[in-house]
Amino acid sequence: SQQGEEDPQALSIQEGENATMNCSYKTSINNLQWYRQNSGRGLVHLILIRSNEREKHSGRLRVTLDTSKKSSSLLITASRAADTASYFCATGDPNFGNEKLTFGTGTRLTIIP
Amino acid sequence: DVKVTQSSRYLVKRTGEKVFLECVQDMDHENMFWYRQDPGLGLRLIYFSYDVKMKEKGDIPEGYSVSREKKERFSLILESASTNQTSMYLCASSSGQGAFQPQHFGDGTRLSIL
C-alpha cells in the first residue's frame, strides 16, 4: 500500500526560484526520508527527519514535518538546472516492524534555465 | 561511499525464461531490498533480506523469488518471466533497521520481457 503521496505530481520553475514539494502519509511514523532520482538512475538519499523533529536543513534543502497533519514538505532554495529530477518521500511502515520503507509516487521537478 | 552494483543496466528476455538479476553492495550492510518501479505507481517492494539466507516478502512478491547466500549479494529471480514483469528493477541496501537508515540504491536494471 502507498504510504506517502507527493504533491504536486509535476513542477516546473525558473532557475534561481525556490521549489516546494509536499508529502502526506496515512499512519504513524518514526521518521520520514526524502530521496532524489535523476532520469534513468537510482535513488539518492537526501535527508532523514525523525518524528520528534519539526525542521531539518542540509545545504539548500529544508525539510519540515508536521506529525499532527501527517505531512512533510521539501524546500529547495535557489534552484539550479542540476536539481531537475524526481523527488520521493518514504516512511517506515509500522506493520513491518520498521524494517522497510514505503515510497510515494514522486514529484517530477523541472528547472528551466 | 557506498556502492551498490546491479549486474545489467538493460536486459531483454523472452516470456517463460528464468531471469536472474544480481546486486552486490560493498559496505557490509545487513539489509538488502529489491523494488520495481513503474510509471504512476512509484517504487514497490518485492522482497527484502535482513541477513544471509533470510528473506521477507514485500508488497508484490508473486512471480519472484530471491536468494542471499552471501552478505554482499542479493539476487532476484523471475521464475517464468511474463510481459507484465517488464519494468525498472532497483536494488538497495542499508545498515541497521531499514526504516531508520538511509537506503543506498544501484542504478537499476531496465528489464523488457518480449
Side-chain angles (χ1 to χ4, degrees):
Chain A
S1 61
Q2 291 298 120
Q3 169 74 309
E5 294 291 336
E6 290 88 347
D7 172 60
Q9 290 187 334
L11 178 64
S12 292
I13 61 172
Q14 295 288 333
E15 191 169 19
E17 293 181 341
N18 296 341
T20 300
M21 289 156 272
N22 302 296
C23 169
S24 59
Y25 56 91
K26 296 173 183 169
T27 66
S28 61
I29 61 170
N30 288 305
N31 68 71
L32 185 143
Q33 302 183 32
W34 284 92
Y35 288 79
R36 182 188 76 232
Q37 183 180 33
N38 291 95
S39 181
R41 305 298 295 271
L43 279 70
V44 174
H45 180 262
L46 295 176
I47 200 162
L48 182 154
I49 186 165
R50 301 187 187 283
S51 59
N52 60 355
E53 297 176 309
R54 292 295 168 260
E55 189 171 308
K56 202 162 183 179
H57 297 255
S58 176
R60 293 184 296 112
L61 306 180
R62 172 180 166 242
V63 168
T64 62
L65 179 64
D66 187 336
T67 53
S68 66
K69 294 182 179 178
K70 292 187 170 58
S71 68
S72 174
S73 67
L74 170 67
L75 168 68
I76 303 174
T77 60
S79 63
R80 305 168 182 171
D83 295 327
T84 293
S86 292
Y87 292 82
F88 296 86
C89 66
T91 54
D93 190 331
N95 293 323
F96 278 83
N98 291 311
E99 289 298 327
K100 76 180 188 84
L101 292 175
T102 301
F103 289 80
T105 52
T107 292
R108 181 174 298 193
L109 175 65
T110 302
I111 307 301
I112 303 165
Chain B
D1 279 352
V2 176
K3 182 85 173 163
V4 178
T5 303
Q6 295 184 230
S7 53
S8 304
R9 290 295 306 277
Y10 301 94
L11 205 54
V12 179
K13 296 291 182 180
R14 296 205 172 275
T15 303
E17 281 192 69
K18 191 168 186 176
V19 181
F20 293 85
L21 302 183
E22 306 287 345
C23 176
V24 177
Q25 51 97 0
D26 66 357
M27 281 300 291
D28 203 36
H29 283 168
E30 294 86 354
N31 304 311
M32 296 189 76
F33 308 83
W34 275 107
Y35 298 89
R36 63 176 284 177
Q37 184 177 27
D38 300 287
L41 296 177
L43 273 75
R44 293 180 291 168
L45 182 65
I46 305 171
Y47 268 98
F48 67 101
S49 169
Y50 52 87
D51 201 353
V52 175
K53 296 191 187 294
M54 305 300 289
K55 61 184 179 183
E56 292 284 345
K57 293 180 180 179
D59 297 317
I60 50 164
E62 296 78 19
Y64 303 94
S65 63
V66 291
S67 172
R68 192 164 181 204
E69 297 295 320
K70 294 185 177 180
K71 193 173 185 179
E72 67 270 20
R73 186 180 297 270
F74 193 35
S75 302
L76 179 70
I77 304 153
L78 285 66
E79 297 291 343
S80 178
S82 64
T83 55
N84 63 12
Q85 292 178 311
T86 291
S87 186
M88 168 73 106
Y89 289 87
L90 291 163
C91 175
S93 73
S94 73
S95 63
Q97 276 197 299
F100 292 93
Q101 300 294 332
Q103 291 190 9
H104 302 267
F105 284 81
D107 275 338
T109 296
R110 190 167 292 281
L111 175 64
S112 295
I113 307 296
L114 304 178

